[in-house]
Amino acid sequence: MSLKKIDPLSISLRLYFYKLKGYSVLLYGLILAQIIALLFSLNGISYMSSNNGELSVSVNTYSASLVIVFSLVWIFYTAIQLTTKRYKRIEIPLVTNNITGHLSDIGFLMTACFFGGLTSSLAGVLLRVIIYFTFDRSQVIVDQFFLPFIDLLLGAAVSALYMILISAIGYLIGVLTKVSMAFVIVIPTVILGLLRVYADFVQTLVAFFTRETSFPLFVLKVLITSMLLFGFSFLLSNRREAVQ
């Protein structure tokens, strides 16, 4: 019998780096999704025109918000995929357990979120550069056009935090579907029911995260909620493993 103690953190760290290499194709998917969103953003997100008979004014608004939306969809899909058997097979060559598997998954998701948040902000800068050099500069409203570096960092942080929250939701949904395939039907039904019957509650819940003006408080909200969601996923998975 071996007396050597197994350190879950060191094993999780090894498994985390192992998954960074094995799941690299997922990160390529993020970049592809952001490029597609950037191309769509070149058409503008809104158009307004005014005409008084003598003077005609038209304004086309551009934003990289679509890049963030695509990134959120990607991280949601990725979080669910990490709980499937297809991606869990990568743990087979290593000596792992439920704890190390979850910790390495969360570590990968956190890395993907920070990477996605940074690239989302950089995509916004790239969109500004393309517009500046492609269109007639005299028609570009330069007020607040050039993004300060601190705003770039703040945008990257906010994007990453939203991705962390969405990844926690996706991971929980993935674990629930592993507990019982019935959740594949139950979860969409519950979501549709909430949207129709408790629309005000859903709006309040969304506003709780999206309308927060204090950045430290926003960080606190996202981190606490995400930890609770990941913790619940861990407990559900442990219970399923114990039953089996």
Side-chain angles (χ1 to χ4, degrees), residues 16-131:
Y16 160 74
F17 285 112
Y18 189 68
K19 287 182 176 181
L20 277 182
K21 296 180 180 179
Y23 297 163
S24 59
V25 65
L26 292 174
L27 296 178
Y28 298 150
L30 168 64
I31 296 174
L32 178 61
Q34 291 181 340
I35 291 175
I36 294 174
L38 184 62
L39 293 176
F40 280 120
S41 300
L42 292 175
N43 292 323
I45 60 171
S46 66
Y47 177 79
M48 181 180 65
S49 180
S50 177
N51 192 334
N52 63 359
E54 296 181 359
L55 180 66
S56 177
V57 178
S58 60
V59 178
N60 203 351
T61 305
Y62 296 86
S63 173
S65 56
L66 194 59
V67 177
I68 299 176
V69 172
F70 273 52
S71 300
L72 293 176
V73 173
W74 173 85
I75 197 65
F76 180 77
Y77 169 80
T78 298
I80 294 177
Q81 288 299 303
L82 291 187
T83 64
T84 60
K85 292 182 179 179
R86 175 187 173 187
Y87 284 89
K88 283 298 180 182
R89 289 195 190 103
I90 197 173
E91 301 176 4
I92 295 177
L94 300 177
V95 179
T96 64
N97 56 28
N98 205 32
I99 297 176
T100 57
H102 280 296
L103 289 178
S104 58
D105 282 344
I106 294 173
F108 175 82
L109 287 174
M110 295 303 100
T111 302
C113 289
F114 284 113
F115 177 76
L118 179 60
T119 52
S120 295
S121 291
L122 292 178
V125 175
L126 179 58
L127 178 62
R128 293 167 186 256
V129 171
I130 293 174
I131 292 174

Side-chain angles (χ1 to χ4, degrees), residues 131-227:
I131 292 174
Y132 187 78
F133 287 102
T134 303
F135 296 89
D136 185 355
R137 299 179 191 178
S138 63
Q139 297 180 358
V140 176
I141 301 177
V142 296
D143 185 27
Q144 297 182 346
F145 181 82
F146 298 99
L147 187 66
F149 183 69
I150 187 64
D151 290 346
L152 175 65
L153 293 180
L154 184 62
V158 171
S159 299
L161 287 167
Y162 276 124
M163 291 182 71
I164 290 173
L165 180 61
I166 296 300
S167 69
I169 296 173
Y171 198 77
L172 175 59
I173 292 176
V175 171
L176 286 172
T177 55
K178 284 184 64 179
V179 172
S180 174
M181 287 302 296
F183 283 105
V184 175
I185 300 176
V186 171
I187 292 174
T189 303
V190 170
I191 293 175
L192 291 175
L194 287 174
L195 290 175
R196 294 192 63 178
V197 181
Y198 300 100
D200 292 339
F201 171 74
V202 174
Q203 292 177 0
T204 302
L205 185 62
V206 172
F208 178 74
F209 293 101
T210 59
R211 296 183 181 178
E212 179 57 58
T213 57
S214 172
F215 181 70
L217 189 56
F218 172 70
V219 173
L220 195 61
K221 286 180 178 181
V222 171
L223 292 183
I224 291 177
T225 305
S226 299
M227 285 190 293

Side-chain angles (χ1 to χ4, degrees), residues 85 175 178-179 235-244:
K85 292 182 179 179
V175 171
K178 284 184 64 179
V179 172
L235 291 175
L236 282 176
S237 184
N238 270 352
R239 183 178 179 183
R240 177 176 178 270
E241 190 176 68
V243 171
Q244 289 179 342

